[in-house]
């Protein structure tokens, strides 16, 4: 009496690999979605914190400086200090002049009683027409792009001094 128990195993070869590929694809998609949506949220929070810090820094600048000198000092501080927490790739996206104008906009508005400094950081979003601005490359699955990011802006204003 010779009983073979291997017949069941021979018919099941490769099922583990196929099941793993299905589960891996699902888990990778979820992981990619988490990472690709977390990075823009991180960038947005850093941008908000950076413009606030730059506006506060402007309060420590000599009020005798001209508007252009204040803008130069604040922009230099913004790139060197608060934005230093960003990886080089993110910093390059924000501070580069190519392919679009710089995303940093600083201006001083003069009124009758005070000067107002406004610091802005603009992120143009991620689109297929401008992939250089993408923080995380988009993953296209079945016609759905993950992530689809729109433009966002961080802005802070501060009154410098009485004139």
């Amino acid at each position: 009496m010779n009983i073979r128990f291997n017949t069941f195993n021979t018919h099941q070869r490769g099922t583990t690999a196929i099941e793993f590929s299905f589960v891996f694809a699902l888990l990778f998609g979820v992981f990619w979605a988490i990472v690709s949506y977390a990075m823009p949220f991180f960038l947005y929070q850093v941008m908000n914190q950076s413009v606030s810090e730059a506006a506060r820094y402007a309060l420590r600048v000599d009020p005798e400086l001209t508007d252009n000198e204040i803008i130069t000092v604040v922009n230099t501080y913004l790139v060197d200090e608060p934005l230093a927490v960003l990886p080089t790739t993110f910093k390059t996206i924000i501070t580069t002049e190519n392919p679009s104008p710089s995303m940093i906009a600083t201006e001083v508005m003069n009124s009758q009683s005070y000067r107002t400094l406004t610091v802005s950081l603009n992120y143009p979003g991620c689109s297929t027409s401008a992939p250089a601005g993408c923080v995380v490359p988009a993953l296209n699955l079945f016609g759905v792009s993950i992530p689809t990011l729109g433009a966002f802006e961080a802005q802070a204003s501060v009154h410098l001094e009485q004139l």
Side-chain angles (χ1 to χ4, degrees):
M1 185 160 193
N2 191 2
I3 300 175
R4 292 190 67 182
F5 292 104
N6 291 342
T7 58
F8 180 74
N9 289 338
T10 57
H11 294 291
Q12 295 295 317
R13 283 189 181 193
T15 57
T16 305
I18 292 172
E19 290 171 358
F20 174 76
S21 65
F22 288 136
V23 171
F24 178 76
L26 179 66
L27 290 177
F28 181 75
V30 169
F31 172 76
W32 186 262
I34 290 170
V35 169
S36 62
Y37 281 105
M39 295 300 260
F41 282 122
F42 170 72
L43 180 61
Y44 182 67
Q45 291 302 323
V46 169
M47 287 171 53
N48 275 327
Q49 180 68 22
S50 298
V51 295
S52 297
E53 288 294 320
R56 280 189 219 106
Y57 179 77
L59 294 173
R60 294 184 276 170
V61 173
D62 183 13
E64 299 296 322
L65 294 175
T66 65
D67 294 348
N68 289 333
E69 291 172 336
I70 291 173
I71 290 171
T72 303
V73 168
V74 169
N75 285 347
T76 303
Y77 172 78
L78 179 65
V79 173
D80 291 344
E81 294 296 325
L83 290 179
V85 71
L86 293 177
T88 307
T89 309
F90 291 172
K91 230 164 109 172
T92 304
I93 291 170
I94 290 176
T95 59
T96 189
E97 299 256 343
N98 293 319
S100 62
S102 177
M103 296 175 206
I104 299 173
T106 308
E107 65 177 337
V108 177
M109 302 289 289
N110 291 310
S111 71
Q112 293 178 354
S113 57
Y114 54 83
R115 293 193 292 184
T116 302
L117 174 79
T118 304
V119 182
S120 301
L121 284 174
N122 302 307
Y123 180 74
C126 184
S127 65
T128 54
S129 63
C134 293
V135 175
V136 178
L139 180 66
N140 292 320
L141 297 172
F142 306 112
V144 177
S145 181
I146 300 173
T148 49
L149 300 174
F152 51 85
E153 177 184 15
Q155 186 176 37
S157 297
V158 66
H159 296 299
L160 293 178
E161 84 280 346
Q162 299 290 339
L163 292 178

